[in-house]
Amino acid sequence: DSGVTQTPKHLITATGQRVTLRCSPRSGDLSVYWYQQSLDQGLQFLIQYYNGEERAKGNILERFSAQQFPDLHSELNLSSLELGDSALYFCASSGGRGRDTEAFFGQGTRLTVV
Amino acid sequence: AQTVTQSQPEMSVQEAETVTLSCTYDTSESNYYLFWYKQPPSRQMILVIRQEAYKQQNATENRFSVNFQKAAKSFSLKISDSQLGDTAMYFCALRMLSSYDKVIFGPGTSLSVIP
């Protein structure tokens, strides 16, 4: 168990809808990263937050947004969903410089858009 | 821009043999970490090994070791005495410790261990 919790584990929704994915980082971790992994693809970096502030942005669509709350949990909002948004969405956390070197991953949320 | 490249989409190895997975990266930063993650069919991301860029000594974790060539920006993973449980996707990753602290991944290498 990595200590990173993602909910829900599975999500099936229709095109055009909006969903929210939730991530609780390891206790004390300040950094949260979101990744998208399409079928048989690598991990595409979406966005990173550090202690509530957006720190880095990757190839995140304008239809997607994220935030990190004061209790450090994070949410990824996906709107106007398309079939191509079907993927495994990972959240990872780390303690930041000086504490941990690697990112610890949650189990992922599998999103299916029908 | 920072990039991570894995030039071997698929590899296979006989059980008990040794295999090396390649990774090259590009960054202008001097302070960074490199990782190999394993993703078995369960899709869980599991850290295999880490390397700090400022350390010249290559990291080793049991049957896993790396060949870190900083000047060449190369970071290969060697798996010795391959086991069936090593069958997985392997991702090379780069974490930069600048103000933006980004972690980016290569496209992955699918490794199959053959009995």
Side-chain angles (χ1 to χ4, degrees):
Chain A
D1 183 4
S2 67
V4 179
T5 303
Q6 289 186 249
T7 56
K9 286 188 171 54
H10 301 277
L11 195 51
I12 301 175
T13 190
T15 55
Q17 295 298 306
R18 173 189 168 93
V19 297
T20 297
L21 312 183
R22 182 186 170 99
C23 171
S24 294
R26 290 190 319 157
S27 177
D29 280 0
L30 300 178
S31 281
V32 170
Y33 311 82
W34 285 99
Y35 293 88
Q36 178 193 56
Q37 186 178 33
S38 301
L39 188 64
D40 295 330
Q41 298 292 313
L43 282 85
Q44 296 298 316
F45 172 71
L46 295 178
I47 199 163
Q48 184 230 348
Y49 280 83
Y50 179 82
N51 201 20
E53 293 187 3
E54 181 183 305
R55 185 61 65 90
K57 190 176 266 192
N59 298 322
I60 187 167
L61 299 172
E62 287 191 8
R63 300 184 287 107
F64 296 1
S65 65
Q67 56 183 326
Q68 186 179 27
F69 294 87
D71 66 352
L72 300 178
H73 91 272
S74 178
E75 293 181 355
L76 179 66
N77 300 296
L78 314 176
S79 61
S80 302
L81 285 167
E82 302 174 359
L83 296 178
D85 297 327
S86 295
L88 189 57
Y89 290 84
F90 281 107
C91 167
S93 75
S94 70
R97 200 177 317 179
R99 182 183 165 188
D100 296 301
T101 58
E102 71 268 27
F104 295 83
F105 280 79
Q107 299 273 18
T109 293
R110 180 170 297 283
L111 173 66
T112 303
V113 182
V114 297
Chain B
Q2 297 84 8
T3 59
V4 178
T5 303
Q6 295 176 248
S7 59
Q8 306 149 315
E10 295 182 2
M11 294 190 72
S12 61
V13 61
Q14 291 289 139
E15 195 175 4
E17 296 296 309
T18 296
V19 64
T20 299
L21 281 58
S22 301
C23 172
T24 58
Y25 62 94
D26 189 24
T27 179
S28 58
E29 299 193 12
S30 58
N31 191 16
Y32 54 88
Y33 295 113
L34 292 159
F35 311 97
W36 280 96
Y37 281 87
K38 168 185 175 180
Q39 188 179 43
S42 67
R43 307 301 291 273
Q44 175 67 36
M45 294 292 290
I46 302 166
L47 179 70
V48 174
I49 199 166
R50 71 173 71 82
Q51 175 78 44
E52 291 89 342
Y54 63 87
K55 289 188 178 178
Q56 291 188 333
Q57 186 173 5
N58 290 324
T60 300
E61 288 285 343
N62 300 314
R63 298 182 295 107
F64 299 89
S65 61
V66 299
N67 183 3
F68 174 46
Q69 302 290 328
K70 190 171 183 178
K73 294 184 178 175
S74 171
F75 183 61
S76 60
L77 174 69
K78 185 171 82 171
I79 305 175
S80 304
D81 185 26
S82 297
Q83 300 176 0
L84 297 179
D86 295 334
T87 293
M89 280 289 288
Y90 286 81
F91 293 99
C92 179
L94 166 67
R95 179 182 182 187
M96 291 147 290
L97 296 176
S98 64
S99 60
Y100 46 82
D101 191 15
K102 191 189 291 189
V103 183
I104 59 172
F105 287 78
T109 295
S110 177
L111 177 67
S112 297
V113 179
I114 302 166

